[in-house]
């Protein structure tokens, strides 16, 4: 049996991708609302950063923040497709969930998507991967580096990283919660941290 709160979350995320307009985003939007999950999204144990996430979402104005908060108990935080590529220090500052991908829970052979939370005053170091990627900021913000462009990004901003573009993000006092999507070559073995003077 599906949860109305989770169904509403998937519909809200689908609307965000429809607004992005890229071909992969439109396919993602359609898949979110038409592809059944392999198993039902069941209640989860809170992750270590749950309290901080809830506080950030409660103060956020983006329409998706309320939908995430309502479904938070069902979101499988800790399902990070690149967890094996991350250092302990990188893993400690963030929480990741995968909602769609080759391994599920919503199956898609050439797409991955989920949510990303980064705690306040933390730096996620420069990295890249084969997949094209789009982030959408839903709550909080960060100083965001995407290739040669470094600037503050906040709620409602879409940030696109073409394949292999180096990117990094530094949160301020609020932290960050964002939606992410991979398309194209969505392998995880190419995910790599890069030399980074800012780290």
């Amino acid at each position: 049996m599906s949860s109305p709160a989770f169904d509403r979350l998937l519909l809200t995320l689908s609307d965000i991708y429809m607004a992005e307009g890229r071909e992969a985003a439109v396919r993602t939007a359609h898949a979110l609302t038409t592809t059944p999950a392999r198993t039902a999204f069941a209640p989860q144990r809170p992750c270590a950063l749950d309290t901080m996430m809830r506080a950030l979402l409660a103060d956020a104005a983006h329409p998706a923040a309320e939908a995430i908060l309502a479904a938070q108990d069902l979101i499988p935080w800790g399902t990070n497709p690149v967890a094996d590529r991350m250092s302990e220090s990188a893993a400690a500052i963030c929480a990741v969930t995968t909602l769609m991908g080759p391994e599920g829970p919503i199956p898609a052979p050439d797409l991955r998507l989920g949510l990303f939370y980064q705690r306040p005053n933390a730096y996620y170091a420069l990295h890249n991967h084969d997949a094209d990627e789009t982030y959408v900021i839903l709550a909080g913000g960060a100083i965001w580096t995407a290739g040669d462009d470094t600037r503050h990004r906040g709620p409602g901003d879409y940030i696109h990283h073409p394949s292999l573009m180096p990117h990094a993000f530094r949160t301020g006092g609020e932290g960050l919660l964002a939606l992410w999507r991979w398309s194209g070559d969505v392998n995880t073995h190419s995910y790599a941290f890069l030399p980074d003077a800012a780290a």
Side-chain angles (χ1 to χ4, degrees):
M1 177 184 287
S2 63
S3 156
F6 211 91
D7 289 346
R8 180 171 160 249
L9 172 60
L10 296 181
L11 186 59
T12 302
L13 301 183
S14 176
D15 289 345
I16 291 169
Y17 286 126
M18 286 302 290
E20 182 188 345
R22 287 186 174 84
E23 182 273 334
V26 173
R27 284 194 300 113
T28 302
H30 181 70
L32 275 171
T33 56
T34 62
T35 307
R38 289 188 172 106
T39 59
F41 286 94
Q44 306 287 317
R45 291 177 54 189
C47 77
L49 304 178
D50 182 73
T51 301
M52 286 187 279
M53 272 191 266
R54 287 178 186 272
L56 178 60
L57 289 165
D59 288 338
H62 195 287
E66 183 182 346
I68 295 167
L69 198 52
Q72 179 74 345
D73 292 335
L74 301 172
I75 295 173
W77 292 100
T79 53
N80 181 352
V82 296
D84 65 328
R85 315 289 297 173
M86 295 174 66
S87 66
E88 284 186 34
S89 59
I93 66 166
C94 66
V96 180
T97 184
T98 303
L99 302 177
M100 176 185 285
E103 301 85 22
I106 299 171
D110 61 346
L111 297 166
R112 293 184 189 271
L113 75 89
L115 298 167
F116 174 85
Y117 171 78
Q118 185 168 311
R119 67 189 316 153
N121 303 308
Y123 182 62
Y124 197 102
L126 201 65
H127 61 285
N128 68 1
H129 38 71
D130 288 343
D132 275 21
E133 179 177 55
T134 297
Y135 271 90
V136 186
I137 310 298
L138 306 177
I143 302 298
W144 204 282
T145 295
D148 295 329
D149 179 22
T150 299
R151 56 184 146 137
H152 184 268
R153 302 290 195 150
D157 284 346
Y158 288 74
I159 308 115
H160 182 66
H161 308 134
S163 175
L164 297 177
M165 174 182 276
H167 49 286
F169 13 95
R170 185 182 302 278
T171 50
E174 286 186 298
L176 166 76
L177 200 143
L179 176 63
W180 59 271
R181 184 195 76 252
W182 282 13
S183 60
D185 185 350
V186 298
N187 79 76
T188 58
H189 63 263
S190 65
Y191 191 99
F193 285 94
L194 305 171
D196 186 358

